[in-house]
Amino acid sequence: MNILVQKFGGTSVATNERRNMAVSKVINAIEQGYSPVVVVSAIGRNGDPYATDTMINFAKSINNDIPKREMDILMSCCEIISSVIFTNTLISKGYKAKAFTGGQAGIITNSNFGNADIIRVESNHLMDAVNQNIIPVVAGFQGITVDGEITTLGRGGSDISAVLLGEALKAYAVEIYTDVDGIMTADPRIVSNANILKKISYNEVFQLAEQGAKVIHPRAVEIAMRGNVPLIIKNTMTDSQGTIITQYNDAYNNIYNADKLVTGIANLNNRVQIVLNMANDENNIFEKIAENKISIDLINIFPDKKVFTISEQDLQKLEELLEKYKIDYTIKENCSKVSIVGNRIRGVPGVMSKIIKILSDNDIEIYQTADSYDTISCLISQDKTEKAIRALHDEFKL
Ligand code: ADP
Ligand code: MG
């Protein structure tokens, strides 16, 4: 059985025309001898009738504080609607298809509503369908607890569903269909002349995703890497070859950009820089921050102060904590973390100094930096983000 998982994102299922294009990709797979397993996201974006944000706003218009459990039940409906519509589109073209909720597809999670972790995948129901030549169409982004509670996997979670099923079904590959031709050297909405990367390693795409490139969920990349499932990012609306994500050695065999130091650039907006003016951490504040599930980043420890960044979403929670322990602090809001990623920057001297020069030549002040063996990040003012990315993209000749 040659299973091919095909995931279609929100814009790919948004209109009749796009769904027909998506269905033609499924038919194509069948004609090539694959057994497709389809995973769909919710239909459209905020404002569209069946989109997730539309539902959230509707519920919030009645009461802003929706319990997390009920929120997950509500959000899961959007992908379920999408799976039925997609199934019916396939049936209308003469194919046998069957819609599955995440739970029915066997995705078992813990009860961390809104951001549930996977416990296991029981793929026997999907396998039964595949064995009967029925195309399963699975509602992405959701699972079920052992007690039967509906859960969701967090924003972008349909990517996770697709890769999990790919791993469990021992698929030949997982194709992620979206609205761009593949993984590009930068977000094409920011850099209009960004280039498609034909091949990229799991590790680099993980870093890009982790540093804000929303084209694929970082957790999905991790799972694909764990299961050694090839991931392919493609455009629903074109016939482009897309990007193949594989092991590093495969990715750089005979590849056209193997001489380039930097693979891509990504950014994370809405970061806040925090400075704690204190010498010793008498209150174990970093432990308290972790207990409150506030994730911190770009950490620098000095004798008289501690500097780090958080997401704007966590600012209120953090401020309450710092005030409770009477810690003197200052904040800098509206920051953005711009990161360059490339497996080949490790051990190459002068990359950081080049970045510093490029940004300073463009009048962009750097508030903080961090580097690991394949990623260099700079914290800057958010209103300079696009300028910084374009300048770095130019200078590193991506
Ligand atoms: P989907 O709804 O199909 O999951 P997403 O909106 O989650 O689609 O992801 C696709 C978007 O990711 C693109 O429209 C693009 O603007 C953005 N993006 C950010 N960084 C990159 C990148 N490096 N390569 C390609 N797309 C990127
Ligand atoms: Mg997405």
Side-chain angles (χ1 to χ4, degrees), residues 66-87:
I66 310 162
K68 284 186 158 182
R69 176 181 172 277
E70 280 63 30
M71 186 66 128
D72 272 10
I73 297 176
L74 176 70
M75 291 194 292
S76 70
C77 295
C78 303
E79 270 74 12
I80 296 175
I81 294 168
S82 183
S83 70
V84 174
I85 298 297
F86 202 95
T87 300

mmCIF file of all heavy atoms in Angstrom, residues 66-87:
data_model
loop_
_atom_site.group_PDB
_atom_site.id
_atom_site.type_symbol
_atom_site.label_atom_id
_atom_site.label_comp_id
_atom_site.label_asym_id
_atom_site.label_seq_id
_atom_site.Cartn_x
_atom_site.Cartn_y
_atom_site.Cartn_z
ATOM 1 N N ILE A 66 -14.589 32.270 27.192
ATOM 2 C CA ILE A 66 -15.140 30.952 26.872
ATOM 3 C C ILE A 66 -14.241 29.908 27.531
ATOM 4 O O ILE A 66 -13.020 29.971 27.389
ATOM 5 C CB ILE A 66 -15.142 30.719 25.351
ATOM 6 C CG1 ILE A 66 -15.780 31.916 24.656
ATOM 7 C CG2 ILE A 66 -15.835 29.419 24.977
ATOM 8 C CD1 ILE A 66 -15.441 31.992 23.198
ATOM 9 N N PRO A 67 -14.821 28.958 28.259
ATOM 10 C CA PRO A 67 -13.956 27.923 28.858
ATOM 11 C C PRO A 67 -13.172 27.198 27.757
ATOM 12 O O PRO A 67 -13.662 27.040 26.640
ATOM 13 C CB PRO A 67 -14.950 26.970 29.534
ATOM 14 C CG PRO A 67 -16.208 27.750 29.674
ATOM 15 C CD PRO A 67 -16.229 28.752 28.565
ATOM 16 N N LYS A 68 -11.953 26.772 28.117
ATOM 17 C CA LYS A 68 -11.061 26.167 27.116
ATOM 18 C C LYS A 68 -11.664 24.911 26.485
ATOM 19 O O LYS A 68 -11.478 24.649 25.299
ATOM 20 C CB LYS A 68 -9.721 25.817 27.768
ATOM 21 C CG LYS A 68 -8.845 27.031 27.982
ATOM 22 C CD LYS A 68 -7.478 26.622 28.485
ATOM 23 C CE LYS A 68 -6.469 27.726 28.195
ATOM 24 N NZ LYS A 68 -5.127 27.361 28.612
ATOM 25 N N ARG A 69 -12.348 24.142 27.302
ATOM 26 C CA ARG A 69 -12.943 22.903 26.786
ATOM 27 C C ARG A 69 -13.979 23.213 25.710
ATOM 28 O O ARG A 69 -13.985 22.619 24.628
ATOM 29 C CB ARG A 69 -13.581 22.137 27.956
ATOM 30 C CG ARG A 69 -14.313 20.889 27.552
ATOM 31 C CD ARG A 69 -14.935 20.186 28.779
ATOM 32 N NE ARG A 69 -15.780 19.088 28.329
ATOM 33 C CZ ARG A 69 -17.035 19.234 27.927
ATOM 34 N NH1 ARG A 69 -17.614 20.423 27.910
ATOM 35 N NH2 ARG A 69 -17.731 18.171 27.534
ATOM 36 N N GLU A 70 -14.854 24.193 26.023
ATOM 37 C CA GLU A 70 -15.903 24.558 25.073
ATOM 38 C C GLU A 70 -15.298 25.211 23.831
ATOM 39 O O GLU A 70 -15.773 25.027 22.716
ATOM 40 C CB GLU A 70 -16.909 25.499 25.745
ATOM 41 C CG GLU A 70 -17.931 24.788 26.624
ATOM 42 C CD GLU A 70 -17.329 24.048 27.811
ATOM 43 O OE1 GLU A 70 -16.273 24.468 28.333
ATOM 44 O OE2 GLU A 70 -17.918 23.025 28.222
ATOM 45 N N MET A 71 -14.222 25.969 24.036
ATOM 46 C CA MET A 71 -13.533 26.598 22.913
ATOM 47 C C MET A 71 -13.047 25.528 21.928
ATOM 48 O O MET A 71 -13.153 25.688 20.717
ATOM 49 C CB MET A 71 -12.344 27.401 23.454
ATOM 50 C CG MET A 71 -11.647 28.206 22.419
ATOM 51 S SD MET A 71 -12.737 29.496 21.824
ATOM 52 C CE MET A 71 -11.672 30.877 22.056
ATOM 53 N N ASP A 72 -12.529 24.434 22.462
ATOM 54 C CA ASP A 72 -12.028 23.367 21.589
ATOM 55 C C ASP A 72 -13.167 22.688 20.833
ATOM 56 O O ASP A 72 -13.024 22.350 19.649
ATOM 57 C CB ASP A 72 -11.225 22.339 22.397
ATOM 58 C CG ASP A 72 -9.763 22.742 22.502
ATOM 59 O OD1 ASP A 72 -9.448 23.889 22.124
ATOM 60 O OD2 ASP A 72 -8.936 21.926 22.940
ATOM 61 N N ILE A 73 -14.294 22.504 21.511
ATOM 62 C CA ILE A 73 -15.448 21.904 20.817
ATOM 63 C C ILE A 73 -15.855 22.821 19.663
ATOM 64 O O ILE A 73 -16.068 22.378 18.536
ATOM 65 C CB ILE A 73 -16.631 21.699 21.789
ATOM 66 C CG1 ILE A 73 -16.248 20.723 22.897
ATOM 67 C CG2 ILE A 73 -17.866 21.203 21.024
ATOM 68 C CD1 ILE A 73 -17.320 20.520 23.962
ATOM 69 N N LEU A 74 -15.906 24.125 19.961
ATOM 70 C CA LEU A 74 -16.307 25.093 18.937
ATOM 71 C C LEU A 74 -15.332 25.089 17.759
ATOM 72 O O LEU A 74 -15.738 24.959 16.596
ATOM 73 C CB LEU A 74 -16.364 26.495 19.556
ATOM 74 C CG LEU A 74 -16.684 27.638 18.598
ATOM 75 C CD1 LEU A 74 -18.135 27.556 18.150
ATOM 76 C CD2 LEU A 74 -16.427 28.993 19.242
ATOM 77 N N MET A 75 -14.039 25.210 18.063
ATOM 78 C CA MET A 75 -13.047 25.329 16.986
ATOM 79 C C MET A 75 -12.991 24.069 16.131
ATOM 80 O O MET A 75 -12.796 24.141 14.929
ATOM 81 C CB MET A 75 -11.659 25.636 17.559
ATOM 82 C CG MET A 75 -11.564 27.026 18.159
ATOM 83 S SD MET A 75 -9.860 27.532 18.464
ATOM 84 C CE MET A 75 -9.374 26.448 19.781
ATOM 85 N N SER A 76 -13.163 22.914 16.776
ATOM 86 C CA SER A 76 -13.043 21.654 16.020
ATOM 87 C C SER A 76 -14.118 21.552 14.937
ATOM 88 O O SER A 76 -13.925 20.883 13.920
ATOM 89 C CB SER A 76 -13.131 20.461 16.969
ATOM 90 O OG SER A 76 -14.451 20.339 17.460
ATOM 91 N N CYS A 77 -15.256 22.225 15.168
ATOM 92 C CA CYS A 77 -16.361 22.178 14.183
ATOM 93 C C CYS A 77 -15.900 22.665 12.811
ATOM 94 O O CYS A 77 -16.364 22.165 11.786
ATOM 95 C CB CYS A 77 -17.508 23.080 14.613
ATOM 96 S SG CYS A 77 -18.292 22.555 16.104
ATOM 97 N N CYS A 78 -15.008 23.657 12.798
ATOM 98 C CA CYS A 78 -14.658 24.303 11.529
ATOM 99 C C CYS A 78 -13.959 23.308 10.595
ATOM 100 O O CYS A 78 -14.270 23.247 9.407
ATOM 101 C CB CYS A 78 -13.779 25.518 11.797
ATOM 102 S SG CYS A 78 -14.583 26.681 12.913
ATOM 103 N N GLU A 79 -13.040 22.514 11.123
ATOM 104 C CA GLU A 79 -12.368 21.503 10.296
ATOM 105 C C GLU A 79 -13.322 20.372 9.943
ATOM 106 O O GLU A 79 -13.218 19.781 8.878
ATOM 107 C CB GLU A 79 -11.133 20.940 11.022
ATOM 108 C CG GLU A 79 -9.841 21.679 10.773
ATOM 109 C CD GLU A 79 -9.744 23.015 11.470
ATOM 110 O OE1 GLU A 79 -10.581 23.297 12.346
ATOM 111 O OE2 GLU A 79 -8.819 23.788 11.134
ATOM 112 N N ILE A 80 -14.246 20.075 10.875
ATOM 113 C CA ILE A 80 -15.205 18.992 10.591
ATOM 114 C C ILE A 80 -16.084 19.397 9.400
ATOM 115 O O ILE A 80 -16.282 18.610 8.460
ATOM 116 C CB ILE A 80 -16.057 18.666 11.844
ATOM 117 C CG1 ILE A 80 -15.149 18.114 12.962
ATOM 118 C CG2 ILE A 80 -17.149 17.647 11.494
ATOM 119 C CD1 ILE A 80 -15.847 17.859 14.287
ATOM 120 N N ILE A 81 -16.571 20.638 9.402
ATOM 121 C CA ILE A 81 -17.380 21.127 8.274
ATOM 122 C C ILE A 81 -16.563 20.979 6.990
ATOM 123 O O ILE A 81 -17.031 20.447 5.983
ATOM 124 C CB ILE A 81 -17.784 22.604 8.483
ATOM 125 C CG1 ILE A 81 -18.732 22.731 9.675
ATOM 126 C CG2 ILE A 81 -18.407 23.199 7.213
ATOM 127 C CD1 ILE A 81 -18.976 24.151 10.147
ATOM 128 N N SER A 82 -15.304 21.425 7.062
ATOM 129 C CA SER A 82 -14.430 21.394 5.893
ATOM 130 C C SER A 82 -14.249 19.961 5.370
ATOM 131 O O SER A 82 -14.256 19.719 4.156
ATOM 132 C CB SER A 82 -13.088 22.018 6.273
ATOM 133 O OG SER A 82 -12.235 22.083 5.180
ATOM 134 N N SER A 83 -14.118 18.990 6.284
ATOM 135 C CA SER A 83 -13.886 17.597 5.859
ATOM 136 C C SER A 83 -15.118 17.039 5.144
ATOM 137 O O SER A 83 -14.995 16.276 4.183
ATOM 138 C CB SER A 83 -13.481 16.712 7.043
ATOM 139 O OG SER A 83 -14.566 16.515 7.918
ATOM 140 N N VAL A 84 -16.297 17.438 5.616
ATOM 141 C CA VAL A 84 -17.524 16.957 4.968
ATOM 142 C C VAL A 84 -17.666 17.587 3.576
ATOM 143 O O VAL A 84 -17.993 16.901 2.599
ATOM 144 C CB VAL A 84 -18.761 17.264 5.850
ATOM 145 C CG1 VAL A 84 -20.051 16.893 5.117
ATOM 146 C CG2 VAL A 84 -18.658 16.513 7.175
ATOM 147 N N ILE A 85 -17.383 18.876 3.487
ATOM 148 C CA ILE A 85 -17.493 19.562 2.188
ATOM 149 C C ILE A 85 -16.506 18.949 1.185
ATOM 150 O O ILE A 85 -16.839 18.688 0.034
ATOM 151 C CB ILE A 85 -17.214 21.084 2.354
ATOM 152 C CG1 ILE A 85 -18.263 21.727 3.281
ATOM 153 C CG2 ILE A 85 -17.166 21.795 1.007
ATOM 154 C CD1 ILE A 85 -19.683 21.680 2.786
ATOM 155 N N PHE A 86 -15.290 18.674 1.657
ATOM 156 C CA PHE A 86 -14.265 18.096 0.765
ATOM 157 C C PHE A 86 -14.673 16.678 0.343
ATOM 158 O O PHE A 86 -14.543 16.297 -0.821
ATOM 159 C CB PHE A 86 -12.903 18.080 1.466
ATOM 160 C CG PHE A 86 -11.738 18.019 0.522
ATOM 161 C CD1 PHE A 86 -11.092 19.182 0.124
ATOM 162 C CD2 PHE A 86 -11.279 16.806 0.009
ATOM 163 C CE1 PHE A 86 -10.010 19.140 -0.756
ATOM 164 C CE2 PHE A 86 -10.202 16.760 -0.876
ATOM 165 C CZ PHE A 86 -9.576 17.924 -1.259
ATOM 166 N N THR A 87 -15.188 15.920 1.302
ATOM 167 C CA THR A 87 -15.650 14.556 0.999
ATOM 168 C C THR A 87 -16.732 14.598 -0.075
ATOM 169 O O THR A 87 -16.690 13.841 -1.056
ATOM 170 C CB THR A 87 -16.222 13.907 2.286
ATOM 171 O OG1 THR A 87 -15.182 13.864 3.252
ATOM 172 C CG2 THR A 87 -16.724 12.493 2.027
#
